[in-house]
Amino acid sequence: RPTIDRELLESLPNLKVIGNSGVGVDHLDLKMISNFGVKVTNTPHAVADPTADIGMALMLASARRLVEGCQIAVSPDTKYFAVDWLGVEVTRATLGIIGMGSIGYKVAQRARAFNMRILYHNRNRRRKEEEEAVGAHYCEKMEDLLQQSDFVMLVVNLTPETHKLIGKKELGLMKPTATLINISRGGVIDQDALVEALQNKVIRAAALDVTYPEPLPRDHPLLKLNNIIITPHIGTATVQAVRMMAEEAIANMLAVLNGQPIPSEV
């Protein structure tokens, strides 16, 4: 991927638009780019469903210890299945969603089918009708959400405000039986604090589709824990989403070049 720096922008005097595939633009210096009169677009519509799906997949897989279970079932050393091997239930559990944009809202729609109690924390409260449609309750303070939730799912953009949003203090507020799920960006969690919390059973488990860096160094302590699931940033990695992202990115770029209203300008 090209690094969009000052040098590149200075070498392209006719550049009109940077079309990002995907919704996150934390890798772009938006202020500097706009100083060059260049527009930035992203693809929020294409990514919402598959990213919400991976959030649910990680929550279910972690709750039911699916990865561990698969390893036991296929291991050459397995003679019998243990009777005391237990996961936890997602149905009727409390889900706390941090970041209730389009992806967070789609997570809530899916969680409702599991009869989950849904709490959410967001910069702006959603409309009453939107809350009622999914049965979501607004927590003005993130602390309240952390203390009550069985599953905490991070669905925020990475900005200076959300960098290391979840650290030692926040993990300490969570229930010892709770699971942290991250489908946003690795930088939203203080990874050192997470390692400590998982090692010391401050929380039950974590499920991450994102880390920093990606991939983690092969000797990273997170990779040695058994109460974590890590996937290789596959939130939007579906045949349909990749095609939709390309179509959405192209529609954005053509709109800028033709002086038409831009579907998804950042």
Side-chain angles (χ1 to χ4, degrees), residues 23 42-50 102 106 244-245 248 252 263-264:
V23 71
N42 66 348
T43 61
H45 306 294
V47 305
D49 278 318
S102 55
K106 283 183 181 284
M244 262 182 80
M245 279 195 289
E248 201 176 339
N252 278 316
S264 304

Side-chain angles (χ1 to χ4, degrees), residues 19 23 28 36 63 66 80 93 116 122 138 140 158-160 162-163 169 188 191 200 230 237:
V23 71
L28 297 172
F36 279 87
L66 219 64
Y80 59 88
M116 298 189 87
N122 201 43
Y138 180 62
E140 195 177 337
L158 180 57
T159 64
T162 61
H163 183 251
K169 173 177 164 254
V188 174
Q191 276 180 180
N200 300 330
I230 305 177

Side-chain angles (χ1 to χ4, degrees), residues 247-265:
E247 288 174 358
E248 201 176 339
I250 291 164
N252 278 316
M253 293 186 278
L254 289 175
V256 175
L257 297 176
N258 297 326
Q260 290 163 338
I262 306 161
S264 304
E265 183 177 1

